[in-house]
Amino acid sequence: MIRKRRAVVCTAALSAAVTAVTPATATAQADGQADGGRAWRVADTRPHPGGDGLLAVAASGRRNVWVFGGADSEDGPTRPVARRWAGGAWHDVALPDEVVGSIDAADASSARNVWAIADHGDVGPSYALRWDGRAWTVSRTWDRRFTTDVVTTGRRNVWVFGYSRAGVGAGTWHFNGKRWRKADLGDLLPERGSAVSARDIWAVGARRLAGCGDRMVAHYDGESWSEVPTGDALPPDVPQPEEGGPYQCVFLRDVLAASSKDVWVVGTVYRSWDDRSEEEPVLAHWDGRTWRHEHIPGGWLPRRLASDGRGGLWVAGWSLWDGPTPDATPLMHRAPNGTWRTTPIDAGDRAGRIVELGHVPGTRRVWGVGQVETPDESFDGAIFRYR
């Protein structure tokens, strides 16, 4: 069942929007503050001869932290990787032999309820994997349908999302502890999700046949999903005319639901006119009643959100100036008072890149995962901590 709400449609001309925006500048540094010598540092690496990357973090407490990714092979398929924090160190944990591909999303509600999704994109199977406290098992497989995120609030409540403009996704599925069921969300296509509780889940993605951007925000109240219009908290979408001309589109990349009155969405707005184009970050906040535009420094492309455990935000992305290279991925931090600062990644004499963040509930600890460059210009999977 889905309950629809009419979205607010803005008809403002793109020319007016572009006029109000100055060319992008390196405001991430100018607007932010130095971080007093603290940095994200490498806590552990996972060397692998064929290349390795860590892509996801899941934590339900200090003693239940997992990181995931994939390891390439020169003569076989990519294999998923799972590592667990135990006894003050990281340890590899075996996954089912039949699973291939990389794990790029995971979630946990307890030490006996950890979920991860693995896939080969749209060219191979996708898997929903479950840890019950003893071993990993395959809960469901989708044939040639990729998945994009998994959210769980308990062993009887798991959501898997599968949407992307890159290809055919699995759609939205729900697991009630006994069986999987494909959910009918109408025109809503969730890609990333975040849960406060089983009756308070948020997602970002797109609306079917929207034609421009991925700006949809949806909410689940325990019974149905509904779209929650963002009003003027985000720039308006202006589709490109059939005869050509200026246009702009918003692409939301992540959502963080800290509470029912504290929800964040982050992404970018892409603008094109004449022979020019630009892309700038966007950030919006839900206070329980309305969405509000929030300032975010320009000059970079935000991708992932995480709580800092103190009412602030960590945002991972990459610099606009150097592209998505491993040595151009500073992390941004937003304090509760709205102050931004740039925080470097210290990987010694190697380039490091953080692609995902995970906050440990009930603490101020945040883990990051990604890669560090090797001398042979390959990459090892890396786990990072802020200290």
Side-chain angles (χ1 to χ4, degrees), residues 5-68:
R5 303 179 185 175
R6 180 175 295 276
V8 177
V9 179
C10 181
T11 58
L14 175 59
S15 58
V18 172
T19 301
V21 177
T22 57
T25 56
T27 55
Q29 292 290 344
D31 194 14
Q33 301 177 0
D35 207 14
R38 301 191 71 184
W40 283 86
R41 305 180 191 277
V42 177
D44 194 72
T45 59
R46 187 183 185 279
H48 189 277
D52 185 74
L54 296 175
L55 304 169
V57 187
S60 64
R62 288 182 180 273
R63 298 182 180 180
N64 185 46
V65 183
W66 291 80
V67 298
F68 305 90

Coordinates of all heavy atoms in Angstrom, one line a residue, residues 5-68:
R5 N 1.4 11.9 -1.8 CA 1.2 13.2 -1.6 C 1.6 14.0 -2.8 O 2.6 13.7 -3.5 CB 2.1 13.7 -0.4 CG 1.9 12.9 0.9 CD 2.8 13.4 2.0 NE 2.7 12.6 3.2 CZ 3.4 12.8 4.3 NH1 4.3 13.7 4.3 NH2 3.3 12.0 5.4
R6 N 0.9 15.1 -3.1 CA 1.3 15.9 -4.3 C 2.5 16.7 -4.0 O 2.7 17.4 -3.1 CB 0.1 16.9 -4.6 CG 0.4 17.7 -5.8 CD -0.8 18.6 -6.2 NE -1.9 17.8 -6.6 CZ -2.0 17.3 -7.8 NH1 -1.1 17.6 -8.7 NH2 -3.1 16.6 -8.1
A7 N 3.5 16.4 -4.9 CA 4.8 17.2 -4.8 C 4.6 18.6 -5.2 O 3.8 19.0 -6.1 CB 5.8 16.5 -5.7
V8 N 5.4 19.5 -4.6 CA 5.4 20.9 -5.0 C 6.2 21.1 -6.2 O 7.3 20.7 -6.3 CB 6.0 21.7 -3.8 CG1 6.0 23.2 -4.2 CG2 5.1 21.6 -2.6
V9 N 5.6 21.6 -7.3 CA 6.3 21.8 -8.5 C 6.7 23.3 -8.6 O 5.9 24.2 -8.5 CB 5.4 21.5 -9.7 CG1 6.1 21.7 -11.0 CG2 4.9 20.0 -9.6
C10 N 8.0 23.5 -8.9 CA 8.5 24.9 -9.0 C 8.7 25.2 -10.5 O 9.4 24.4 -11.2 CB 9.7 25.1 -8.2 SG 10.4 26.7 -8.3
T11 N 8.2 26.3 -11.0 CA 8.3 26.6 -12.4 C 9.3 27.7 -12.6 O 9.3 28.3 -13.7 CB 7.0 27.0 -13.0 OG1 6.4 28.1 -12.2 CG2 6.0 25.8 -12.9
A12 N 10.1 28.0 -11.7 CA 11.1 29.1 -11.8 C 12.0 28.8 -13.0 O 12.5 27.7 -13.2 CB 11.9 29.3 -10.5
A13 N 12.3 29.8 -13.8 CA 13.2 29.7 -14.9 C 14.6 29.4 -14.5 O 15.1 29.9 -13.5 CB 13.2 30.9 -15.8
L14 N 15.3 28.5 -15.3 CA 16.7 28.2 -14.9 C 17.6 29.4 -15.0 O 18.5 29.6 -14.3 CB 17.2 27.1 -15.9 CG 18.7 26.8 -15.7 CD1 18.9 26.3 -14.3 CD2 19.1 25.7 -16.7
S15 N 17.3 30.3 -15.9 CA 18.1 31.5 -16.1 C 18.2 32.3 -14.8 O 19.2 32.8 -14.4 CB 17.6 32.4 -17.2 OG 16.2 32.8 -16.9
A16 N 17.1 32.4 -14.1 CA 17.1 33.1 -12.8 C 17.9 32.4 -11.8 O 18.6 33.0 -11.0 CB 15.6 33.2 -12.3
A17 N 17.8 31.0 -11.8 CA 18.6 30.2 -10.8 C 20.1 30.4 -11.1 O 20.9 30.5 -10.2 CB 18.2 28.8 -10.9
V18 N 20.5 30.4 -12.4 CA 21.9 30.5 -12.7 C 22.4 31.9 -12.4 O 23.5 32.1 -11.9 CB 22.1 30.2 -14.2 CG1 23.5 30.5 -14.6 CG2 21.8 28.7 -14.5
T19 N 21.6 32.9 -12.6 CA 22.0 34.3 -12.4 C 22.3 34.4 -10.9 O 23.2 35.2 -10.5 CB 20.9 35.2 -12.7 OG1 20.6 35.1 -14.1 CG2 21.3 36.7 -12.4
A20 N 21.6 33.7 -10.0 CA 21.8 33.9 -8.6 C 23.0 33.1 -8.1 O 23.3 33.2 -6.9 CB 20.6 33.4 -7.8
V21 N 23.7 32.3 -8.9 CA 24.8 31.5 -8.5 C 26.1 32.0 -9.1 O 26.2 32.2 -10.3 CB 24.6 30.0 -8.9 CG1 25.8 29.2 -8.5 CG2 23.3 29.5 -8.3
T22 N 27.1 32.3 -8.3 CA 28.3 32.7 -8.9 C 29.1 31.4 -9.2 O 28.9 30.4 -8.7 CB 29.1 33.5 -7.8 OG1 29.3 32.7 -6.6 CG2 28.4 34.8 -7.5
P23 N 30.2 31.6 -10.1 CA 31.0 30.4 -10.5 C 31.5 29.8 -9.2 O 31.9 30.4 -8.2 CB 32.0 31.0 -11.3 CG 31.4 32.2 -11.9 CD 30.5 32.8 -10.8
A24 N 31.6 28.4 -9.3 CA 32.1 27.7 -8.1 C 33.5 28.1 -7.7 O 34.3 28.3 -8.6 CB 32.0 26.2 -8.4
T25 N 33.8 28.2 -6.5 CA 35.1 28.5 -6.0 C 35.4 27.6 -4.9 O 34.6 26.9 -4.3 CB 35.2 30.0 -5.4 OG1 34.2 30.1 -4.4 CG2 34.9 31.0 -6.5
A26 N 36.7 27.6 -4.4 CA 37.1 26.6 -3.4 C 36.7 27.1 -2.0 O 37.4 27.3 -1.1 CB 38.6 26.5 -3.5
T27 N 35.3 27.1 -1.9 CA 34.8 27.6 -0.6 C 34.9 26.6 0.5 O 34.7 26.9 1.7 CB 33.3 28.0 -0.8 OG1 32.6 27.0 -1.3 CG2 33.2 29.2 -1.7
A28 N 35.1 25.3 0.2 CA 35.3 24.3 1.2 C 36.4 24.7 2.2 O 36.3 24.5 3.4 CB 35.5 23.0 0.6
Q29 N 37.5 25.2 1.6 CA 38.6 25.6 2.5 C 38.3 27.0 3.1 O 38.6 27.2 4.3 CB 39.9 25.7 1.7 CG 40.4 24.3 1.2 CD 40.9 23.4 2.3 OE1 41.1 23.9 3.4 NE2 41.0 22.1 2.1
A30 N 37.8 27.9 2.3 CA 37.6 29.3 2.8 C 36.5 29.3 3.9 O 36.6 30.1 4.8 CB 37.3 30.2 1.7
D31 N 35.5 28.6 3.6 CA 34.3 28.6 4.5 C 34.6 27.8 5.8 O 34.0 28.1 6.8 CB 33.1 28.1 3.8 CG 31.8 28.4 4.5 OD1 31.9 29.2 5.4 OD2 30.8 27.8 4.2
G32 N 35.4 26.7 5.6 CA 35.6 25.9 6.8 C 36.8 26.3 7.6 O 37.4 27.4 7.3
Q33 N 37.2 25.5 8.6 CA 38.3 25.8 9.4 C 39.2 24.7 9.5 O 38.8 23.5 9.2 CB 37.8 26.1 10.9 CG 36.8 27.3 10.9 CD 36.3 27.5 12.4 OE1 36.7 26.7 13.3 NE2 35.4 28.4 12.5
A34 N 40.5 24.9 9.8 CA 41.4 23.9 9.9 C 41.1 23.0 11.1 O 40.4 23.5 12.0 CB 42.8 24.4 10.1
D35 N 41.5 21.8 11.2 CA 41.0 20.9 12.2 C 42.0 20.6 13.3 O 42.0 19.6 13.9 CB 40.7 19.5 11.5 CG 39.6 18.8 12.3 OD1 39.0 19.5 13.2 OD2 39.3 17.6 12.1
G36 N 42.9 21.6 13.6 CA 43.8 21.5 14.7 C 44.7 20.3 14.8 O 45.0 19.8 15.9
G37 N 45.1 19.7 13.7 CA 46.0 18.6 13.6 C 45.3 17.3 13.7 O 46.0 16.2 13.4
R38 N 44.1 17.2 14.0 CA 43.3 15.9 13.9 C 43.0 15.6 12.5 O 42.9 16.4 11.6 CB 42.1 16.0 14.8 CG 42.3 16.4 16.2 CD 41.0 16.2 17.0 NE 40.7 14.8 17.2 CZ 39.6 14.3 17.8 NH1 38.7 15.2 18.3 NH2 39.4 13.0 17.9
A39 N 43.0 14.3 12.3 CA 42.8 13.8 10.9 C 42.2 12.4 10.9 O 42.2 11.7 11.9 CB 44.1 13.8 10.1
W40 N 41.7 12.0 9.8 CA 41.3 10.6 9.6 C 42.5 9.8 9.2 O 43.2 10.2 8.3 CB 40.2 10.5 8.4 CG 38.9 10.9 8.8 CD1 38.4 12.2 8.9 CD2 37.8 10.1 9.3 NE1 37.1 12.2 9.3 CE2 36.7 10.9 9.6 CE3 37.7 8.7 9.5 CZ2 35.5 10.4 10.1 CZ3 36.5 8.2 10.0 CH2 35.4 9.0 10.3
R41 N 42.8 8.8 10.0 CA 44.0 8.0 9.8 C 43.7 6.6 9.6 O 42.7 6.0 10.0 CB 44.9 8.2 11.1 CG 45.2 9.6 11.4 CD 46.1 9.8 12.6 NE 46.2 11.2 13.1 CZ 47.0 12.1 12.6 NH1 47.8 11.7 11.6 NH2 47.0 13.3 13.1
V42 N 44.7 5.9 8.9 CA 44.5 4.5 8.6 C 44.6 3.6 9.9 O 45.5 3.7 10.6 CB 45.5 4.0 7.6 CG1 45.4 2.5 7.3 CG2 45.4 4.8 6.3
A43 N 43.5 2.9 10.2 CA 43.5 2.0 11.3 C 43.9 0.6 11.0 O 44.4 -0.2 11.8 CB 42.1 2.0 11.9
D44 N 43.7 0.2 9.7 CA 44.0 -1.2 9.3 C 43.9 -1.2 7.8 O 43.2 -0.5 7.1 CB 43.0 -2.2 9.9 CG 43.6 -3.6 9.8 OD1 44.5 -4.0 10.5 OD2 43.0 -4.4 9.0
T45 N 44.7 -2.1 7.2 CA 44.6 -2.3 5.7 C 44.5 -3.8 5.5 O 44.8 -4.6 6.3 CB 45.9 -1.8 5.0 OG1 47.0 -2.5 5.5 CG2 46.0 -0.3 5.1
R46 N 44.0 -4.1 4.3 CA 43.8 -5.5 3.9 C 44.5 -5.7 2.5 O 43.9 -5.6 1.5 CB 42.3 -5.9 3.8 CG 42.1 -7.4 3.5 CD 40.6 -7.7 3.4 NE 40.3 -9.1 3.2 CZ 40.5 -9.8 2.1 NH1 40.9 -9.1 1.0 NH2 40.3 -11.1 2.0
P47 N 45.8 -6.0 2.5 CA 46.5 -6.1 1.3 C 46.0 -7.3 0.5 O 45.6 -8.4 1.1 CB 48.0 -6.4 1.7 CG 48.0 -5.8 3.1 CD 46.7 -6.0 3.7
H48 N 45.9 -7.2 -0.8 CA 45.4 -8.2 -1.7 C 46.1 -8.1 -3.0 O 46.1 -7.0 -3.6 CB 43.9 -8.1 -1.9 CG 43.3 -9.3 -2.6 ND1 43.3 -9.4 -3.9 CD2 42.7 -10.5 -2.1 CE1 42.7 -10.6 -4.3 NE2 42.4 -11.2 -3.2
P49 N 46.7 -9.1 -3.6 CA 47.5 -9.0 -4.8 C 46.7 -8.5 -6.0 O 47.2 -8.0 -7.0 CB 48.1 -10.4 -5.0 CG 47.2 -11.3 -4.2 CD 46.7 -10.5 -3.1
G50 N 45.4 -8.8 -6.0 CA 44.6 -8.5 -7.2 C 43.9 -7.1 -7.1 O 43.1 -6.7 -8.0
G51 N 44.1 -6.4 -6.0 CA 43.4 -5.2 -5.8 C 42.2 -5.4 -4.8 O 41.5 -6.4 -4.9
D52 N 41.9 -4.4 -4.0 CA 41.0 -4.6 -2.9 C 40.3 -3.3 -2.6 O 41.0 -2.3 -2.6 CB 41.6 -5.3 -1.7 CG 40.7 -5.6 -0.6 OD1 39.9 -6.6 -0.8 OD2 40.6 -4.9 0.4
G53 N 39.1 -3.3 -2.2 CA 38.4 -2.1 -1.7 C 37.4 -2.4 -0.7 O 36.7 -3.4 -0.8
L54 N 37.3 -1.5 0.3 CA 36.2 -1.7 1.3 C 35.2 -0.6 1.0 O 35.5 0.6 0.8 CB 36.8 -1.6 2.7 CG 37.8 -2.7 3.1 CD1 38.4 -2.5 4.5 CD2 37.0 -4.1 3.0
L55 N 33.9 -0.9 1.1 CA 32.9 -0.1 0.6 C 31.7 0.2 1.6 O 30.9 1.1 1.3 CB 32.3 -0.7 -0.7 CG 33.2 -1.0 -1.8 CD1 32.6 -1.8 -2.9 CD2 33.8 0.3 -2.4
A56 N 31.6 -0.6 2.7 CA 30.5 -0.4 3.5 C 30.8 -0.6 5.0 O 31.8 -1.4 5.3 CB 29.4 -1.4 3.1
V57 N 30.1 0.0 5.9 CA 30.3 -0.1 7.3 C 28.9 -0.4 8.0 O 27.9 0.2 7.6 CB 30.8 1.1 8.0 CG1 31.2 0.9 9.4 CG2 32.1 1.6 7.2
A58 N 28.8 -1.3 9.0 CA 27.6 -1.6 9.7 C 28.0 -1.7 11.2 O 28.9 -2.5 11.5 CB 26.9 -2.8 9.2
A59 N 27.3 -1.0 12.1 CA 27.6 -1.1 13.5 C 26.3 -0.9 14.3 O 25.5 -0.1 14.0 CB 28.6 0.0 13.9
S60 N 26.2 -1.7 15.4 CA 25.1 -1.6 16.3 C 25.6 -1.2 17.7 O 24.8 -1.0 18.6 CB 24.2 -2.8 16.3 OG 25.0 -3.9 16.8
G61 N 26.9 -1.3 17.9 CA 27.5 -1.0 19.2 C 29.0 -1.1 19.1 O 29.5 -1.6 18.1
R62 N 29.7 -0.8 20.2 CA 31.1 -0.9 20.3 C 31.6 -2.3 19.9 O 32.7 -2.4 19.3 CB 31.6 -0.6 21.7 CG 31.5 0.9 22.0 CD 32.1 1.1 23.4 NE 32.0 2.5 23.9 CZ 32.9 3.4 23.6 NH1 34.0 3.1 22.9 NH2 32.8 4.7 24.0
R63 N 30.9 -3.3 20.3 CA 31.4 -4.7 20.1 C 30.8 -5.4 18.9 O 30.9 -6.6 18.7 CB 31.1 -5.5 21.3 CG 31.8 -5.0 22.6 CD 31.5 -5.9 23.8 NE 32.2 -5.4 25.0 CZ 32.1 -6.0 26.2 NH1 31.3 -7.1 26.3 NH2 32.7 -5.5 27.2
N64 N 30.1 -4.6 18.1 CA 29.5 -5.2 16.8 C 29.7 -4.2 15.7 O 28.8 -3.4 15.3 CB 28.0 -5.5 17.0 CG 27.4 -6.2 15.8 OD1 28.0 -7.1 15.3 ND2 26.3 -5.7 15.3
V65 N 30.9 -4.2 15.1 CA 31.3 -3.3 14.0 C 31.8 -4.2 12.9 O 32.7 -5.0 13.1 CB 32.3 -2.3 14.4 CG1 32.6 -1.3 13.2 CG2 31.9 -1.5 15.6
W66 N 31.2 -4.0 11.7 CA 31.6 -4.7 10.5 C 32.0 -3.8 9.4 O 31.5 -2.7 9.3 CB 30.5 -5.6 10.0 CG 30.1 -6.7 10.9 CD1 29.3 -6.7 12.0 CD2 30.5 -8.1 10.7 NE1 29.2 -7.9 12.6 CE2 29.9 -8.8 11.8 CE3 31.2 -8.8 9.8 CZ2 30.0 -10.2 12.0 CZ3 31.4 -10.2 9.9 CH2 30.8 -10.9 11.0
V67 N 33.0 -4.2 8.5 CA 33.3 -3.5 7.3 C 33.2 -4.5 6.2 O 33.5 -5.7 6.4 CB 34.6 -2.8 7.3 CG1 34.6 -1.7 8.4 CG2 35.8 -3.8 7.5
F68 N 32.9 -4.1 5.0 CA 32.7 -5.0 3.8 C 33.2 -4.4 2.6 O 33.5 -3.1 2.5 CB 31.2 -5.2 3.6 CG 30.5 -5.7 4.8 CD1 29.9 -4.9 5.7 CD2 30.3 -7.1 5.0 CE1 29.2 -5.3 6.8 CE2 29.6 -7.6 6.1 CZ 29.1 -6.7 7.0

